[in-house]
Amino acid sequence: MTEPLQRPKRKDPLKRTRLPTQPPELRSRRSHLLTRAAAEGVFGLPGCSDCGALHYPARDTCPECLSDNITLLPCSDLGVLAGTTTVQISNNVYFRERSPWRVGLAVLDAGPRVVTHVHGDVHEGDRIRLTWRLDKSGNAVAFAEPEKPTPNMSDDAELREMTLDPKFRRVLVTDGRTALGQAVAKAFADAGAAIIFCGIADPWKPWPGEEKLKAIPGVEIMPLDVTDTDSVNDLADEIGGRVDIIVNTGEHIRPGGITDRRGVNVAREEIESGYLALMRLAQGFGPALKFRGADGVNSACAWVNVFSIYAQMAWPTYGAYSAQQAAMLGASLSLRGELRPGGVRVVHVFTGPTEDEWFQPLPPPKVSHGQIAKAVVDALRGGVEEAWVGDIAQDFRARLQQNPKALEREIGQ
Amino acid sequence: MSKHLTGLLGAIASGGVKVVDLTFTLSPEFPTLVLPPEFGQCAPIRIEEVSRYDPRGPAWYWNNISMSEHCGTHYDAPIHWVTGKDLPNNSVDTIPPEHFIAPACVIDVSAKCAENPDYALTVADIEAWEKTHGRIPEKSWVLMRSDWSKRDFKAYANLREDGAHTPGPTPEVMQFLVNERGILGFGTETIGTDAGQAHHFAPPYPAHHFLHGNGRYGLQCLCNLDQLPAKGAVIFGAPLKIRQGSGSPLRVLAMVEQ
């Protein structure tokens, strides 16, 4: 059984903050099949599409039939931990700082043997479930976990290096005015976050849910207007060094394609509150997050952006909004690359139309804010980079992968 | 320099004429008018630093600013309202410049506004003022003192589920001031020249309706009206010369003889 994680002590202000280091990050291009699996939280093994042989590590050609048609094939994630060893010292600085570190050899029911990181609750000869996890370098590594959940399993020190668990971490929810922001704040309180800073713009405007939000344990209301550079910088100056997870919950949904509108004022509001807001937040909070990527149990670890699926393919009925989301997605992909060296992961949560006033005329199914909030917390606990919430988003994703052109023609039909 | 101007400058220098600033600082936090979200919105004040003695500009500091014409302490031209859309010289760039300097009459209803945030200025208030101070001169600014500018921003905007609750004029008083007294314009301390609930008046937004329909002007988000005498101050307030501008943030100064 894993020792439950204890609330971290307050930091000794006289001690230097350790800089983030990284496990080895170079991978072959083919190995990124596994990076994708880890990023999406799915399991499979590199395999030959021609003869069906599975193998590990990923190879450029099939060891059985020499085909270069290698892809990720779904298979059982179960197996046996054939052996383990504990690394007491390593030449790699990242592991040296975290030793002793257990590794092992998993023999999968599907055949291949995989060198793997090992959860503290599994031992030689145990049945295990193998997962692909993103490590601090952003690449896939194998992780052998108990076949069935064990108490406090997510508190395992090695696993916590791979996940982004909110427990005892301090979160900034960028817009506490929205139903989404409030649902996210509640989900983080339930997940054991230590502090949930909730940004509120224009405090002179009343907002629904104010009393309920303030009553959530750990919630602290902070002045934050993401459309105002000074406001973002002021808050970053005040709490930037105490934020471990940022969840960007800003929304500015307006209907209409780009020919439907007179002038660009609404588009400007969309860009200000979306794309430029993300840039302001990145400039304000990014440097401290990157700096604190290895700052103890409650190190900085994640930045979550919630996107509409229409970021990936414009829906002309909400065309200008889709464009705003696409612009944000582009910025967020850059942010992902910029924060990775600091051990901070940028997580994208994609959703279809939500139970939002601005989607009111649309027929169900629509995604509730509670569902999105749960998906955000689940994504962090699972350590994934991409999550898709609800049936519409899942269907959209499948169609996008299958034939983007068909999706483009059929969208909104 | 003429003796008139020399005399004025001498009086300002000696303190015989005090200059009172009736202007709020333009800042991003300052409340702006809120319309139902399906309408176009008034862009708030934003100040984006271009450089501040740094690599973006080593020896100089400056900002890019953006905002609606109707932000902060600002001026409404007749073209702002549909009733004034066809009048000559109805935009800020064509208004005769001599209209930017005028005497002010300050009607103090702050006590009534403290009791009732929806207080509406009446003809009786004007008549009571005139009993003490004489008839409102033609081409004067009439400024409604509510002390609203002393409130914090939340109480200043005073938004509730049914909209803003802030004082303003009745339709009758606006007709009276425009038609019977020939005022130059009407000014308030609140976010608009009209009351927060003026949408429910007949006609809606009577200050906008009657002022601008008759080629008169509006001033709003004024402060320091408590430093002005009821009569005798002179207002200098010139909007920016925006092409076809419907209004503009501006610096409003009052000259007060001591």
Side-chain angles (χ1 to χ4, degrees):
Chain A
M1 177 185 131
T2 310
E3 280 293 312
L5 195 68
Q6 299 299 309
R7 180 180 289 273
K9 282 185 187 165
R10 287 185 174 168
K11 228 170 109 175
D12 179 349
L14 299 181
K15 280 192 175 164
R16 175 179 175 269
T17 302
R18 285 206 147 180
L19 296 180
T21 52
Q22 296 207 312
E25 60 182 325
L26 283 180
R27 296 289 190 280
S28 72
R29 186 166 298 168
R30 201 69 90 176
S31 286
H32 287 308
L33 285 171
L34 300 176
T35 306
R36 181 178 178 183
E40 296 180 356
V42 298
F43 189 78
L45 283 170
C48 175
S49 294
D50 292 331
C51 74
L54 298 170
H55 54 261
Y56 180 86
R59 295 182 173 90
D60 285 334
T61 52
C62 174
E64 300 296 327
C65 72
L66 298 181
S67 163
D68 62 358
N69 202 0
I70 306 297
T71 184
L72 189 83
L73 297 177
C75 63
S76 165
D77 55 359
L78 298 178
V80 173
L81 190 64
T84 65
T85 187
T86 301
V87 179
Q88 298 294 342
I89 194 149
S90 166
N91 281 335
N92 177 283
V93 178
Y94 173 86
F95 287 113
R96 199 179 184 93
E97 289 172 343
R98 287 159 181 79
S99 55
W101 187 276
R102 285 179 81 219
V103 292
L105 184 70
V107 180
L108 292 174
D109 296 349
R113 294 162 177 244
V114 179
V115 176
T116 176
H117 300 296
V118 178
H119 190 281
D121 285 348
V122 290
H123 304 283
E124 209 166 294
D126 286 354
R127 292 286 296 166
I128 53 111
R129 182 181 302 280
L130 197 75
T131 54
W132 299 120
R133 299 279 184 181
L134 293 175
D135 69 7
K136 290 285 183 194
S137 76
N139 290 299
V141 291
F143 200 91
E145 299 173 16
E147 187 178 9
K148 290 181 182 145
T150 56
N152 312 312
M153 186 173 152
S154 59
D155 289 350
D156 177 79
E158 282 191 26
L159 182 58
R160 212 171 140 97
E161 281 294 304
M162 318 288 170
T163 63
L164 314 162
D165 200 315
K167 192 173 181 182
F168 297 135
R169 284 195 159 106
R170 297 154 298 184
V171 185
L172 170 63
V173 177
T174 60
D175 190 353
R177 270 182 183 279
T178 59
L180 174 60
Q182 292 172 19
V184 167
K186 174 78 172 60
F188 274 100
D190 294 344
I195 303 176
I196 304 139
F197 300 109
C198 289
I200 294 293
D202 296 332
W204 51 273
K205 283 185 196 163
W207 37 289
E210 178 173 358
E211 294 314 315
K212 244 178 153 176
L213 179 65
K214 286 178 175 170
I216 295 172
V219 162
E220 292 185 19
I221 304 294
M222 307 305 281
L224 176 62
D225 187 334
V226 295
T227 68
D228 175 11
T229 304
D230 285 344
S231 168
V232 173
N233 289 340
D234 286 350
L235 188 65
D237 288 347
E238 193 178 331
I239 64 164
R242 299 174 65 207
V243 172
D244 310 317
I245 297 173
I246 291 182
V247 187
N248 188 4
T249 56
E251 290 176 328
H252 196 281
I253 305 157
R254 295 292 183 273
I258 65 167
T259 59
D260 296 336
R261 294 177 174 173
R262 287 177 67 175
V264 299
N265 276 328
V266 177
R268 206 166 258 161
E269 287 164 16
E270 288 166 338
I271 293 299
E272 278 290 346
S273 60
Y275 172 73
L276 294 178
L278 181 54
M279 196 174 285
R280 290 185 187 99
L281 289 164
Q283 290 176 9
F285 288 90
L289 281 177
K290 263 169 86 169
F291 176 72
R292 291 194 45 257
D295 190 14
V297 164
N298 55 354
S299 64
C301 67
W303 183 307
V304 185
N305 288 318
V306 178
F307 289 111
S308 163
I309 49 175
Y310 305 113
Q312 305 222 13
M313 178 71 74
W315 178 20
T317 306
Y318 284 81
Y321 168 65
S322 302
Q324 177 232 33
Q325 292 287 299
M328 284 178 71
L329 179 58
S332 188
L333 288 166
S334 175
L335 183 67
R336 180 175 282 167
E338 293 175 52
L339 293 186
R340 193 182 303 128
V344 176
R345 196 168 303 160
V346 174
V347 177
H348 295 167
V349 175
F350 293 97
T351 169
T354 51
E355 296 282 4
D356 228 292
E357 196 53 36
W358 290 99
F359 290 125
Q360 168 252 328
L362 303 184
K366 287 188 262 190
V367 183
S368 74
H369 299 107
Q371 267 177 286
I372 300 172
K374 182 178 180 302
V376 168
V377 170
D378 287 350
L380 293 171
R381 283 177 168 158
V384 300
E385 271 186 350
E386 319 280 349
W388 301 69
V389 197
D391 294 341
I392 289 192
Q394 292 290 354
D395 176 60
F396 187 99
R397 174 197 194 189
R399 289 159 73 194
L400 189 65
Q401 285 178 357
Q402 203 174 27
N403 183 352
K405 191 51 77 177
L407 180 62
E408 183 189 300
R409 291 292 188 272
E410 292 169 2
I411 203 162
Q413 285 177 2
Chain B
M1 197 180 288
S2 78
K3 61 182 180 184
H4 301 299
L5 293 179
T6 310
L8 175 62
L9 289 175
I12 292 171
S14 68
V17 168
K18 184 182 170 193
V19 178
V20 180
D21 192 347
L22 307 184
T23 322
F24 271 105
T25 300
L26 285 177
S27 76
E29 301 82 23
F30 193 77
T32 48
L33 190 69
V34 181
L35 296 184
E38 59 270 24
F39 287 124
Q41 300 295 317
C42 166
I45 301 152
R46 291 291 179 262
I47 304 164
E48 193 75 32
E49 200 172 272
V50 179
S51 69
R52 193 160 189 154
Y53 330 116
D54 57 29
R56 299 170 299 171
W60 50 94
Y61 163 58
W62 50 356
N63 299 306
N64 287 336
I65 58 172
S66 61
M67 71 197 77
S68 155
E69 290 172 333
H70 297 265
C71 271
T73 300
H74 68 276
Y75 185 97
D76 285 356
I79 199 174
H80 177 44
W81 212 247
V82 65
T83 50
K85 73 183 175 65
D86 296 323
L87 296 178
N89 301 327
N90 60 355
S91 55
V92 287
D93 54 333
T94 56
I95 292 170
E98 58 272 22
H99 289 188
F100 301 141
I101 304 170
C105 300
V106 181
I107 318 291
D108 181 3
V109 287
S110 55
K112 292 172 178 172
C113 295
E115 282 177 16
N116 175 13
D118 293 317
Y119 183 73
L121 185 74
T122 63
V123 175
D125 290 323
I126 304 296
E127 288 170 346
W129 186 92
E130 287 188 331
K131 249 185 200 170
T132 313
H133 304 289
R135 188 182 167 95
I136 290 172
E138 272 190 25
K139 296 186 178 169
S140 296
W141 281 105
V142 169
L143 307 180
M144 176 177 169
R145 179 182 157 193
S146 58
D147 282 353
W148 219 249
S149 58
K150 296 179 180 176
R151 294 176 150 227
D152 66 45
F153 287 160
K154 192 166 188 176
Y156 180 74
N158 209 26
L159 289 164
R160 299 183 202 156
E161 277 186 4
D162 57 353
H165 288 266
T166 55
T170 57
E172 296 73 30
V173 85
M174 286 320 304
Q175 288 183 82
F176 178 81
L177 290 171
V178 168
N179 299 325
E180 307 295 324
R181 294 294 179 265
I183 62 169
L184 178 77
F186 181 74
T188 62
E189 295 178 55
T190 49
I191 290 181
T193 50
D194 271 301
Q197 293 287 304
H199 180 65
H200 303 290
F201 291 0
Y205 306 107
H208 288 78
H209 182 96
F210 292 113
L211 284 172
H212 304 325
N214 290 279
R216 316 301 165 82
Y217 315 118
L219 275 175
Q220 49 254 288
C221 307
L222 295 168
C223 58
N224 296 329
L225 294 188
D226 58 339
Q227 295 181 32
L228 302 188
K231 195 175 180 183
V234 170
I235 300 287
F236 175 84
L240 297 175
K241 199 168 180 178
I242 301 166
R243 188 198 60 180
Q244 283 282 291
S246 73
S248 150
L250 79 174
R251 193 79 179 243
V252 184
L253 302 176
M255 286 175 281
V256 180
E257 210 153 343
Q258 298 296 292

